[in-house]
Amino acid sequence: MRIRLSVLVNNEYGVLSRVANLFAARGYNIESLNVAPTHDEGVSRMTIVVEGEKEIVEQIEKQLNRMVNCLKVINLNDQPAVERELVLIKMHTNDTNRAEILRITDIFRGNIVDLSPESYTIAISGDSGKINAVISLLRSFGIKEIARTGLAALTRELKTN
Amino acid sequence: MKGYNIIVESLKKEGVDTIFGYPGGAIMAIDDALMDEKEIHYILARHEQGATHEADGYARATGKVGVVLATSGPGATNTITGIATAYMDSVPLVVLTGQVPTTLIGNDAFQEADTVGISRPCTKHNFLVKDVTELARTIKEAFYIAKSGKPGPVLIDLPKDVILGESRFVYPKNVKLSGYNPTTKGNPHQIEKVTKALLESKKPLLYIGGGAISSNASGQIAQLANRLQIPVFVTLMGQGAFDPESELFLGMAGMHGTYSSNMAIQNCDFLFSLGARFDDRITGKLDEFAARAKIAHIDVDPVSIGKNVITEYPIVGDLKNVLDQILEVMERIAEPVDFYKSKYKKWLETVNRWKTEHRLDYKKNPDVIKPQQAISCLSDILAGKNPIIAVGVGQHQMWAPQYMKLSRPRSFLTSGGLGTMGYGLPAAIGAQTAYKDRIVVDIDGDGSFQMNIQELATIVQEKLKLKIMIINNRYLGMVRQWQNLFFNNRYAHTDMTFQPDFVKVADAYGIEAGRVSKPDELNKAIRTMVEYDGAYLLDVIVDRLENVYPMVPSGAPLDRMILV
Ligand SMILES: Cc1ncc(C[n+]2csc(CCOP(=O)(O)OP(=O)(O)O)c2C)c(N)n1
Ligand SMILES: [Mg+2]
């Protein structure tokens, strides 16, 4: 199953490698990984998305908890969370597709953040489902490049969804 | 103060009295500072793997943190097998490695290795000290992490410019690690529940692992078993945690465990793991393991609980503390001892019947020494002498716990988790340096012994009275046994007929030695070794084709043992 973990760690060297190793040692490929400092500069939040067996990921959660520089592990599958991802999509454009690309960008509340005679770069944020939908819609117009941030997530305050 | 002095002073603050090491360019300044140091004894190994196992043997025998000092690059990589060995068996070590100057890190400088990178997966934690001002704090944290919670090795990588740097020396009083708070006490609610379940069970069984040794809980375990009159078995790592003469003791369980232990596991209705982690060498086929039992597990490491078996009663905490809590609850709610004597009488009778039905046994032969016979004989001669036994890996490693009576914790040193051949000799050296007056015997295999044979020099230099008893079958015996049982007797790459004359090797190092191959000379030869006032190597030529039994074939359920 697809598992999402939010992990608070000390913001220091070696931590990323230790965390990544727990997955790598089992032959698990991390699907996406987002790391950045929190409001406390000494603490970073990692949001990890990985495809794996539930029991094994539970084991990894415990191993994360055991790590000296890991502060907290939250399994986002267990509780409601707000999730966002940002994607930058660079499109090949021409006179026939510009209007349609703009329309789709609009519908998905995206912005054009860079343009040239032959290209648009679109920025869109949303949950992973929305991002996937946009990408599959735009694919037929000719995608040049994509950069995704990977998931960023926080648990919801009110636990009723 | 200079970095190298800060290191030495910090080690003294931690009460370090012995360091095992090997010098080199990156760490010379620390060696230099240690040279005139009175409070710390430096032991020069002959290989950094040797130094690391020596520190490990020292740590297991004493319960203190073992300290290693090695240089950058090859010095550091040579420690890795030793570190991985300690990691698998939860042994507290602090390994100090030299590193190229910070300005050169990542440049493929001379004798550079990414030591923190290489050691990361086999250390509990590791540090790269980037500034001399962080030295003291880092050392403080390293010792705290190594010995608290589930103990383990911690590595500190020390760039040369940090070692040579200058800073004020203040040794911190406390450690502040926000992400690291090992649980020590058990959850009272869980304790209450597990105690009730234990008292209500009809066929309870205690399962004692290495955690019993590292948390010094053998006193509590004896109290619990005796109070309720319930049987006990140990793992390889739990050897010495329970009185082998007790009527309640079943010996070792698992692949080469006793018939009674394995049968008890398969038939008990309550299996209580005290610091044992359900390793596959113990469980055999998992789905059929203890299938009739509810399982309770006390472990300081939450990762170990529920990993292989479904655990009805998990308790995270230090074993000794948790057992004290359980004993307290028992005082409150348990019936008097006599009640349990009669309640568990039938169960104990059944277990004891298994004991007498199939005792550990082997067939003697008047012409050739059986390995079991040599170990039994050693055990008899050492009775009451409180020995420390270290072993290599292989058949002899299994015969040792089967035939040695080990009644004290921290008296059996073995690489249980990683199974590192070559562990025995250096581990014995480490233990002997801590206990100069105790008898320490390395029961070794002819193959394993050769993997760290260079440490013979360390014995001589340190004037240790260590005994080495080689169970010489001129085979990589354990692998040969598997070839015998599962590979149609094709003995690929396991024949060790080409081996040096170990007596001459010992002689070349200046160590007394003898050889014995006749059963009727065995007793005298072992006595000579034990009584000799100095280091002694005894080469025991044994039956080449003896196998270790009982044996549960890999992947079979525990009650499908091959008996003798
Ligand atoms: C470093 C290492 N290499 C290989 C092995 C695999 N192995 C396990 S037991 C064994 C044979 C050990 O032979 P010996 O030390 O003579 O002991 P014996 O089994 O004959 O008592 C081998 C090769 C190992 N455990 N460790
Ligand atoms: Mg051998």
Side-chain angles (χ1 to χ4, degrees):
Chain A
M1 68 189 288
R2 190 163 172 274
I3 293 169
R4 286 130 43 229
L5 298 176
S6 179
V7 186
L8 288 173
V9 295
N10 289 331
N11 182 7
E12 55 189 45
Y13 70 88
V15 180
L16 175 60
S17 168
R18 259 186 197 274
V19 172
N21 226 337
L22 291 178
F23 296 92
R26 295 179 164 78
Y28 277 17
N29 179 29
I30 294 176
E31 190 181 303
S32 86
L33 169 67
N34 172 297
V35 196
T38 60
H39 57 297
D40 176 349
E41 246 181 65
V43 176
S44 288
R45 182 184 299 277
M46 296 182 153
T47 313
I48 304 167
V49 180
V50 66
E51 187 66 41
E53 284 161 59
K54 189 166 172 286
E55 293 73 28
I56 295 192
V57 175
E58 275 169 18
Q59 185 73 8
I60 294 176
E61 275 180 66
K62 289 189 195 169
Q63 287 174 323
L64 284 167
N65 271 315
R66 182 168 75 172
M67 256 175 54
V68 172
N69 35 26
C70 171
L71 307 171
K72 195 170 179 188
V73 183
I74 304 157
N75 188 329
L76 298 169
N77 291 47
D78 298 342
Q79 44 192 314
V82 230
E83 305 183 348
R84 287 294 179 275
E85 200 180 337
L86 174 75
V87 63
L88 297 173
I89 309 171
K90 197 182 278 180
M91 300 292 303
H92 289 291
T93 54
N94 53 44
D95 294 343
T96 59
N97 70 11
R98 262 190 211 100
E100 186 59 12
I101 292 174
L102 267 178
R103 209 175 64 83
I104 293 173
T105 306
D106 238 32
I107 291 171
F108 284 94
R109 299 201 185 133
N111 297 308
I112 308 289
V113 291
D114 185 43
L115 77 170
S116 76
E118 283 99 40
S119 74
Y120 278 163
T121 301
I122 306 164
I124 294 178
S125 73
D127 61 25
S128 304
K130 172 176 163 187
I131 304 288
N132 290 337
V134 172
I135 292 172
S136 70
L137 272 174
L138 291 174
R139 196 177 287 278
S140 58
F141 298 101
I143 294 175
K144 228 174 138 185
E145 282 181 298
I146 278 190
R148 290 174 78 153
T149 56
L151 200 67
L154 288 176
T155 55
R156 285 186 189 276
E157 274 304 297
L158 296 174
K159 300 293 176 192
T160 47
N161 220 344
Chain B
M1 194 184 277
K2 287 288 191 185
Y4 44 83
N5 288 323
I6 293 179
I7 293 168
V8 173
E9 291 310 309
S10 302
L11 294 176
K12 279 157 69 176
K13 292 271 186 205
E14 290 296 332
V16 173
D17 54 18
T18 313
I19 293 182
F20 302 87
Y22 206 87
I27 47 154
M28 292 179 67
I30 308 174
D31 284 281
D32 187 72
L34 283 169
M35 192 173 171
D36 301 320
E37 183 50 60
K38 297 278 174 309
E39 288 174 44
I40 300 180
H41 181 53
Y42 179 92
I43 291 176
L44 176 61
R46 292 302 187 271
H47 187 299
E48 291 86 352
Q49 184 189 349
T52 315
H53 291 323
E54 279 153 25
D56 169 313
Y58 172 95
R60 292 194 209 212
T62 60
K64 295 198 273 183
V65 178
V67 182
V68 181
L69 179 61
T71 194
S72 67
T77 55
N78 271 349
T79 65
I80 296 297
T81 302
I83 294 174
T85 303
Y87 183 65
M88 288 292 274
D89 290 345
S90 310
V91 178
L93 295 185
V94 168
V95 181
L96 305 166
T97 50
Q99 182 55 277
V100 300
T102 45
T103 48
L104 291 182
I105 291 180
N107 277 1
D108 290 342
F110 176 64
Q111 292 199 328
E112 176 182 3
D114 175 10
T115 304
V116 282
I118 294 170
S119 63
R120 197 167 283 131
C122 60
T123 48
K124 182 172 175 186
H125 195 61
N126 62 12
F127 298 93
L128 171 66
V129 184
K130 288 186 289 189
D131 195 299
V132 62
T133 56
E134 293 167 12
L135 253 181
R137 182 181 56 80
T138 305
I139 295 174
K140 174 88 187 173
E141 288 179 1
F143 275 85
Y144 175 69
I145 292 168
K147 65 190 172 195
S148 56
K150 181 187 175 82
V154 177
L155 181 139
I156 309 178
D157 206 22
L158 301 162
K160 196 168 177 178
D161 53 326
V162 171
I163 296 174
L164 299 177
E166 178 96 39
S167 168
R168 223 162 57 86
F169 176 59
V170 192
Y171 204 62
K173 288 217 169 54
N174 303 307
V175 175
K176 273 186 259 129
L177 290 164
S178 46
Y180 179 72
N181 305 298
T183 315
T184 52
K185 290 253 170 168
N187 172 312
H189 179 67
Q190 280 292 93
I191 302 258
E192 193 87 22
K193 255 174 61 181
V194 78
T195 312
K196 282 194 182 131
L198 172 65
L199 295 176
E200 278 161 19
S201 68
K202 297 196 172 67
K203 300 174 181 177
L205 182 62
L206 299 185
Y207 162 25
I208 315 299
I213 309 280
S214 53
S215 102
N216 301 313
S218 47
Q220 282 76 0
I221 292 170
Q223 272 185 52
L224 179 67
N226 292 329
R227 175 72 173 76
L228 297 182
Q229 292 294 303
I230 53 183
V232 174
F233 71 88
V234 294
T235 67
L236 185 66
M237 299 303 297
Q239 293 292 333
F242 200 81
D243 176 12
E245 305 288 358
S246 163
E247 195 209 3
L248 302 171
F249 188 64
L250 306 180
M252 183 169 79
M255 182 174 275
H256 295 297
T258 58
Y259 180 76
S260 54
S261 299
N262 288 348
M263 291 301 286
I265 292 173
Q266 298 304 70
N267 290 284
C268 69
D269 71 347
F270 191 90
L271 180 63
F272 201 172
S273 159
L274 309 180
R277 62 187 172 92
F278 300 87
D279 182 90
D280 53 88
R281 283 292 184 268
I282 286 289
T283 61
K285 187 171 183 211
L286 255 185
D287 332 329
E288 293 180 39
F289 172 77
R292 298 178 180 83
K294 289 237 181 321
I295 288 178
H297 184 176
I298 307 175
D299 208 300
V300 71
D301 177 23
V303 178
S304 297
I305 300 181
K307 181 171 59 176
N308 297 333
V309 294
I310 296 168
T311 307
E312 277 86 1
Y313 305 96
I315 301 178
V316 178
D318 176 72
L319 182 59
K320 186 178 181 156
N321 292 338
V322 173
L323 283 176
D324 276 334
Q325 290 173 280
I326 288 178
L327 288 167
E328 232 177 84
V329 174
M330 262 176 37
E331 271 336 296
R332 197 152 39 74
I333 64 174
E335 307 287 340
V337 179
D338 284 344
F339 174 88
Y340 297 103
K341 266 202 173 126
S342 60
K343 176 173 177 188
Y344 295 130
K345 187 159 174 265
K346 248 189 83 196
W347 170 229
L348 263 186
E349 276 170 11
T350 311
V351 167
N352 276 316
R353 204 183 61 236
W354 286 323
K355 256 206 257 187
T356 46
E357 261 172 25
H358 295 283
R359 293 191 179 283
L360 284 172
D361 207 2
Y362 61 95
K363 287 193 190 65
K364 285 192 183 155
N365 177 328
D367 300 321
V368 56
I369 298 171
K370 293 288 179 168
Q372 302 93 324
Q373 187 180 4
I375 291 166
S376 277
C377 179
L378 177 70
S379 182
D380 291 344
I381 290 173
L382 294 181
K385 291 200 164 70
N386 187 20
I388 296 176
I389 303 294
V391 292
V393 171
Q395 294 182 308
H396 66 283
Q397 180 192 23
M398 296 297 126
W399 284 315
Q402 284 183 341
Y403 291 92
M404 283 297 307
K405 287 227 155 69
L406 297 157
S407 50
R408 305 264 190 114
R410 303 194 177 280
S411 63
F412 184 65
L413 314 178
T414 183
S415 168
L418 198 66
T420 308
M421 283 174 70
Y423 173 80
L425 179 63
I429 292 174
Q432 184 85 77
T433 57
Y435 297 107
K436 292 264 171 28
D437 299 328
R438 276 173 75 179
I439 176 150
V440 180
V441 184
D442 168 33
I443 301 178
D444 225 330
D446 50 305
S448 296
F449 177 61
Q450 290 184 71
M451 282 215 176
N452 272 313
I453 197 166
Q454 76 287 344
E455 296 306 310
L456 288 174
T458 312
I459 299 177
V460 181
Q461 180 166 356
E462 290 299 318
K463 302 190 179 66
L464 301 176
K465 297 183 179 177
L466 189 73
K467 315 298 178 193
I468 302 158
M469 186 167 105
I470 300 177
I471 302 296
N472 193 345
N473 50 16
R474 282 166 292 141
Y475 269 121
L476 298 174
M478 186 56 96
V479 182
R480 188 209 51 77
Q481 172 166 348
W482 285 50
Q483 290 167 332
N484 168 233
L485 297 172
F486 314 116
F487 281 81
N488 238 336
N489 284 323
R490 286 164 53 81
Y491 293 160
H493 313 144
T494 47
D495 191 324
M496 287 260 132
T497 312
F498 289 99
Q499 63 179 202
D501 181 328
F502 292 127
V503 174
K504 282 190 185 157
V505 170
D507 186 53
Y509 277 98
I511 291 177
E512 247 338 276
R515 176 174 295 122
V516 59
S517 53
K518 296 208 175 68
D520 52 359
E521 291 167 9
L522 180 66
N523 192 286
K524 185 161 158 276
I526 294 180
R527 246 176 226 294
T528 306
M529 170 182 84
V530 169
E531 283 161 13
Y532 185 76
D533 187 26
Y536 194 99
L537 180 150
L538 180 63
D539 188 17
V540 185
I541 309 297
V542 297
D543 189 343
R544 295 195 74 195
L545 297 176
E546 189 70 16
N547 281 351
V548 184
Y549 292 116
M551 177 172 186
V552 180
S554 188
L558 285 182
D559 42 15
R560 278 235 300 281
M561 277 161 278
I562 310 173
L563 296 160
V564 190

